Each structure stands twice: as C-alpha cells, then as structure tokens.
Amino acid sequence: MTEILTARPEWHALTAHYQQIKELHLRQLFAADPKRGERLALEVQGLYCDYSKHRITDETLALLIRLAEACGLPQRIEAMFRGDQINLTEGRSVLHVALRAPRESSLTVDGVDVIAEVQTVLDKMAVFATRVRSGAWTGHTGKPIRNVVNLGIGGSDLGPAMAYEALRHYSKRELTFRFVSNIDATDFVEATCDLDPAETLFIVASKTFTTLETMTNAQCARRWLLAAMHDEASVAKHFVAVSTNATEVARFGIDPQNMFGFWDWVGGRYSLTSAIGLSLMLAIGAERFGELLAGCHGMDEHFRRAPLPRNMPVIMGLLNVWYGNFFGTETVAVLPYDQYLRRFPAYLQQLVMESNGKRTTLQGLPVTYQTGPIVWGEPGTSGQHSFYQLLHQGTKLVPCDFIGLVSPLNPLGEHHKLLMANLLAQAEALAFGKTADEVATEGIPSYLVPHRTFDGNRPSTVLLANRLTPAVLGQLIALYEHSVLVASVIWEINAFDQWGVELGKVLAKQIAAELASSAEPQHDSSTNALIRRYRNGGRP
Ligand code: F6P
C-alpha cells in the first residue's frame, strides 16, 4: 500500500520548511541573489519559463523534487510513455503522447503498433483537409465547402476551438469556422443563421458519439441541411465524424469512409492532437498541423528525459502543489498577453479541473489535503481593467501564469511594445509591490498611503516564446498537460477519468422526461417545485 501523502517524511519536511519561509518576501529573495531572475528559469526549444518570481528558495525546490521522487514521479512518467494502464479506474493506457510521436517511431501496446495507427489516421485527415481546402471536395449541389461547423463539447470542442482561435493567423481565410457545443439551441442557430447549407460541412466530433449535447446538435444540423437539400444522400457530402465509436457513427448515417477514428487511450481533454483536431487541420492545413504536433513532441521528449530539477512541466506541476497545499491558494490565473490565446484559459479549465478536481486517491481513499486548483483568466490587457485589482491588493493569494510573445503576428504601431510592457509590469508589480515608505515619499497624503500601498510578494510564472506559431502552441499544450500529470502523481489521484460529470447527466435525463410529463416529479422539494413551475410556464 502506498504511503499516505501527508504521512511522508518529505511532506513533513515541506511543512516545516513552509513555516520557515512563508514570511520571506520576494524583495528579500531577489536582493539576496542578483542572478535569481536568470537562475530560476528554463528554456525548452525556445520556450522560456521564468519561475524566479515564486515564493521559493533552492531548498523549496529540492524538497519538492524529493517529494516527487518519493511519490514515484519518474516511474509514473515512464509508465505513461510505455503505454501502461495508468488510468486505473477506466483500465486504459494514457497515450496522447503517441499522437505526436514521429512517424518512424513505434510503440506496441497489446500487440498493436499505435504509432502506425496514428499515422494512418493523420494521412487520411491530410487527404481530406487538402480536398476541402482546395475546393475538390464539394457539397451535394456541387458547390465547394466554405463553412466548417464543429459540433462537439468538452474536449471535442474546447481544444479545437481554442487552437483555431490561437492559430487563426495561419488559417485559410476563405473558409469560415464555427464551433457549436451548447445544447442551448441559440448556439446552433447563431452559428448557422448566416451560412448556406450547400456550402457547409459539419464535423460531428465526439469520442463516444453518445454525448447528449453533441448528438442533439448533430440531429438538428441534419434537419437544417435536409430542409434545404431535400435529399438524404446529401448527408454523406456534408457530414463527417470524428469518433472512437464506428457503430454509432454508422447509425447516425455518416459514411464510415468519412469517419476519422481515434482510440480509448486518448482522453477527451487530451484529444486535440488526435482526429479531434480535424477542424484545426482544415483551417491551417496538414503541414502546419504537423508543426503543432512537432511542438508537442518536443515538450513530450523534454518531459520524459530532462532531470526533474530542470524539467519545465515538473516545476510547474510542483508549484501548483506548493501553493495549493502549503499556502492554501485555491485558484490559478492564466493571463495570456496575446489576443489569439483568448480561449486558452477556458481550454485549461477543462484540462486542469476535469483532470485534477478529485477527492479520492488511486487506492479509493478520501484525500486529506487539497487537490486541483480552480483555473481562470482572461487575456491581458483587458483583464487588467477588470480583476487585477484583486490580484494586487485583495486578500487572496492567486499565483499567475503570464504568457507573452516577443514578436507580434500583427505588427501595428506601438501596440506590441505596449502590450508586452504591461505584461512585464504586472509581473513586477505583483512580486515587488510598493511599500508605504515609497508611497509616502511621493507626497501622497498620509490617509491615502495604506490605500496606495502594494504589499507585493504575489507569485507568478512568465512564459515567453518568440512568436505564436503552431509549434509554440503545441509546446504550451503539452507543457500544461504534463504539469497536470505531475500534480496528480503527488496527490495520488487519477488525472484521466471524470466520474464527477456522471450524476448530473443521469439526473438531467430523468428530469427531461419529467418536464414533458404531468406525473408528480420524484425529487427533493426544491427540485420538484422548480419542475412544477417550469411546466406551468414559470408560474407557481
Ligand atoms: O464532460 C465529460 C466529457 O466526457 C469530457 O471528458 C469530454 O471531453 C466530453 O464529455 C465530450 O465527450 P465526447 O467526446 O464523448 O462527446
């Protein structure tokens, strides 16, 4: 039986160490080591990670690494890459890293070379993407496709939607892309109201092909198409599927030729680099999609091979543990200073919170410590004029991840310099603040001094790359994916299941039937009253 986390000597050492350094200010840490800003940083294939503005010392890092070793992190990393069934509660391997492994490599799992299978699907996607992008693939009436609508939810939506936005600069502008996820009809109606069905391709993206939201939207899309085409045969030209469930895809009426498969060893929130990324490939082309995969692979290799103290996802994952478990922080803000990355925080919400929002250990025991953080954020500088007040002077400690790019994709006047100046200024202000003495020497009236003082000592990471390319996006994706695994190993939880979404799904099915019936609802008095009010047109 594995030792309980909080009983480990390495945990006790960290608890004692926290007591010693918790009051230490970043001002002191920087003053004591003039090279700290360069020393506590890592670079992986051009992606620079500055973690010097964290409330850590060399000893903190050493103790965190010792904890990671005691928890078997190196072995767990290797087990994932080897294809072991580390998703214990679902009895599955976790092999999103195989999706971006080089073509010439091989990995045999249960007698099957999964890399060869991955490459076959990638080739099929590339052929299809090229046909659509060139106009060779036509709709039922012979018109080329001009609109692509991805119907999916969760990992079958957030990854492609985020990456499409992130890489829009590289996209084929003659094509329009829309992403419909919500079961609220407004999502579908607003996404399609200005589209010509004869020029529209739907990608039904669903690992299981049974998800209520996606299947409801897919049926709706089918009716929308047929209302214009009046011919069942048109479905074959206007629908493709991305799924692991060939039977359900065929039942829906999609030609199996037009199905792009993946495997149960790809978790939904880890699936962007599988065929779930088809919409992205249609937008940016197969070659650039390959660059995204290469970026992921570079980070995968770094994660697998770099020693723990120089391993970027390891450091980032352990910092999550340090703040969540010792400082008692509950959230992490992700602040991309790039408008193209505006959906990155939303994407990370699923990645981090669906993965590590768990309260039961791999041994089936309740945890006695905090696990995954709440992730939130908005692009800078818009966020600065909204919630940064709390980050600087609020009572809550919120570790921040700043993401910036040196070279803009849209060079225009002074914009980029000002954007990046703001990123650097925010990280500096959070870390070092402004003392009451400094405020007073500016001649500020004494009654205002406390209001205008910044205590600082608010930690942040700065991630910096040269330009937002597909490869850089791939690096960022893999970096966060692996940092999630790192934290989960320490917390002894399964980052790859999501049982917590099941209860709501079951109840919704039952309630949907009750909303349409007149029988007495079978719930608590609150839910029953709400059901009756709904049935009664909003009246009691
Ligand atoms: O929200 C639960 C979940 O299972 C996610 O993990 C997944 O990404 C999403 O639903 C969509 O699932 P599917 O791709 O099977 O439609």
Side-chain angles (χ1 to χ4, degrees):
M1 175 118 175
T2 326
E3 203 168 349
I4 292 170
L5 175 61
T6 50
R8 289 184 184 279
E10 295 80 5
W11 185 270
H12 289 309
L14 275 161
T15 308
H17 173 71
Y18 168 72
Q19 290 304 330
Q20 281 163 11
I21 74 147
K22 64 180 182 190
E23 305 297 346
L24 213 53
H25 200 287
L26 282 165
R27 286 188 212 119
Q28 296 164 279
L29 289 168
F30 272 80
D33 175 6
K35 290 225 171 292
R36 181 181 171 93
E38 291 144 80
R39 213 167 51 76
L40 298 190
L42 278 173
E43 183 169 351
V44 177
Q45 294 169 345
L47 179 66
Y48 185 72
C49 172
D50 173 354
Y51 57 95
S52 63
K53 294 192 191 77
H54 281 289
R55 294 171 66 172
I56 52 172
T57 63
D58 290 346
E59 195 187 349
T60 319
L61 282 172
L63 291 172
L64 285 166
I65 299 289
R66 239 184 273 160
L67 177 68
E69 280 164 349
C71 293
L73 179 62
Q75 295 81 351
R76 288 286 288 285
I77 294 173
E78 205 38 45
M80 175 177 78
F81 278 92
R82 208 170 38 222
D84 290 6
Q85 295 194 345
I86 63 167
N87 177 354
L88 290 180
T89 57
E90 295 181 314
R92 290 176 182 167
S93 305
V94 174
L95 274 174
H96 42 282
V97 290
L99 299 169
R100 48 268 187 145
R103 185 175 286 268
E104 57 285 0
S105 59
S106 81
L107 175 65
T108 304
V109 177
D110 294 335
V112 178
D113 183 359
V114 296
I115 309 285
E117 292 203 342
V118 165
Q119 295 300 326
T120 303
V121 175
L122 277 173
D123 289 345
K124 184 174 171 181
M125 288 166 66
V127 169
F128 177 70
T130 305
R131 289 191 68 199
V132 173
R133 285 164 61 85
S134 68
W137 176 287
T138 54
H140 188 58
T141 64
K143 283 186 170 183
I145 296 300
R146 292 199 194 287
N147 317 306
V148 177
V149 183
N150 190 78
L151 306 174
I153 197 163
S156 302
D157 166 72
L158 288 162
M162 175 280 289
Y164 166 70
E165 283 295 333
L167 300 176
R168 206 181 185 137
H169 177 79
Y170 305 92
S171 69
K172 193 173 172 68
R173 299 291 182 157
E174 296 81 3
L175 293 176
T176 296
F177 287 83
R178 303 271 162 84
F179 294 83
V180 175
S181 61
N182 201 338
I183 203 162
D184 182 340
T186 301
D187 205 5
F188 181 84
V189 169
E190 289 294 339
T192 53
C193 63
D194 57 346
L195 304 185
D196 176 358
E199 300 178 335
T200 301
L201 175 75
F202 289 100
I203 301 175
V204 187
S206 174
K207 179 175 172 180
T208 54
F209 229 74
T210 55
T211 304
L212 181 71
E213 293 86 343
T214 303
M215 298 331 294
T216 304
N217 281 324
Q219 293 295 352
C220 175
R222 203 175 196 281
R223 288 193 295 275
W224 181 83
L225 178 80
L226 293 176
M229 299 291 157
H230 312 289
D231 185 353
E232 282 284 335
S234 63
V235 172
K237 301 294 278 177
H238 293 268
F239 277 83
V240 298
V242 179
S243 187
T244 58
N245 189 344
T247 313
E248 284 302 319
V249 170
R251 202 195 307 270
F252 182 86
I254 293 177
D255 185 344
Q257 289 297 325
N258 300 335
M259 170 177 156
F260 300 84
F262 61 116
W263 307 270
D264 69 4
W265 42 261
V266 183
R269 53 197 174 272
Y270 298 87
S271 66
L272 168 63
T273 50
S274 73
I276 287 292
L278 183 62
S279 53
L280 177 66
M281 192 192 271
L282 287 167
I284 64 172
E287 199 173 316
R288 292 207 185 277
F289 191 81
E291 290 166 19
L292 173 98
L293 300 185
C296 292
H297 178 65
M299 186 58 74
D300 295 343
E301 282 292 292
H302 165 79
F303 181 52
R304 187 175 193 178
R305 307 201 190 279
L308 299 189
R310 302 298 297 161
N311 193 311
M312 206 184 275
V314 169
I315 301 279
M316 285 189 55
L318 291 177
L319 285 170
N320 268 307
V321 173
W322 176 235
Y323 289 112
N325 296 111
F326 297 93
F327 284 86
T329 60
E330 301 226 311
T331 81
V332 171
V334 179
L335 309 165
Y337 276 64
D338 188 299
Q339 190 64 17
Y340 284 124
L341 288 175
R342 71 188 177 90
R343 295 288 289 158
F344 199 59
Y347 160 75
L348 288 184
Q349 282 180 329
Q350 188 199 11
L351 179 65
V352 176
M353 293 161 77
E354 202 172 70
S355 296
N356 282 346
K358 312 275 165 70
R359 51 176 284 283
T360 305
T361 69
L362 288 165
Q363 285 75 38
L365 299 170
V367 297
T368 53
Y369 41 84
Q370 289 292 313
T371 61
I374 298 162
V375 175
W376 58 286
E378 281 289 318
T381 56
S382 310
Q384 288 175 206
H385 295 270
S386 163
F387 53 79
Y388 276 41
Q389 165 65 41
L390 181 147
L391 297 182
H392 285 287
Q393 288 188 319
T395 52
K396 292 169 178 60
L397 187 67
V398 182
C400 300
D401 289 357
F402 290 97
I403 305 174
L405 287 309
V406 173
S407 310
L409 289 171
N410 295 304
L412 198 62
E414 297 279 275
H415 281 264
H416 195 66
K417 188 179 74 188
L418 296 173
L419 175 70
M420 288 304 291
N422 271 279
L423 181 161
L424 299 174
Q426 292 298 331
E428 183 181 353
L430 286 168
F432 304 107
K434 195 172 186 182
T435 63
D437 284 350
E438 285 166 347
V439 176
T441 52
E442 287 175 357
I444 303 293
S446 58
Y447 78 96
L448 275 181
V449 169
H451 297 280
R452 301 198 52 172
T453 299
F454 292 75
D455 53 359
N457 219 11
R458 293 165 187 257
S460 68
T461 303
V462 176
L463 293 167
L464 194 65
N466 180 34
R467 187 186 292 274
L468 183 57
T469 60
V472 165
L473 183 67
Q475 286 179 301
L476 288 171
I477 290 167
L479 169 62
Y480 278 95
E481 284 175 348
H482 299 322
S483 73
V484 163
L485 171 71
V486 170
S488 77
V489 170
I490 307 297
W491 291 322
E492 206 43 36
I493 54 176
N494 182 2
F496 305 106
D497 63 12
Q498 55 285 318
W499 300 108
V501 302
E502 294 303 324
L503 179 59
K505 285 186 195 173
V506 172
L507 285 173
K509 208 167 172 186
Q510 190 184 331
I511 292 173
E514 290 169 318
L515 292 178
S517 116
S518 53
E520 192 51 23
Q522 300 298 312
H523 302 266
D524 58 277
S525 59
S526 158
T527 311
N528 287 346
L530 291 164
I531 290 173
R532 282 193 292 268
R533 191 170 273 260
Y534 175 90
R535 284 173 177 172
N536 208 18
R539 289 177 299 278

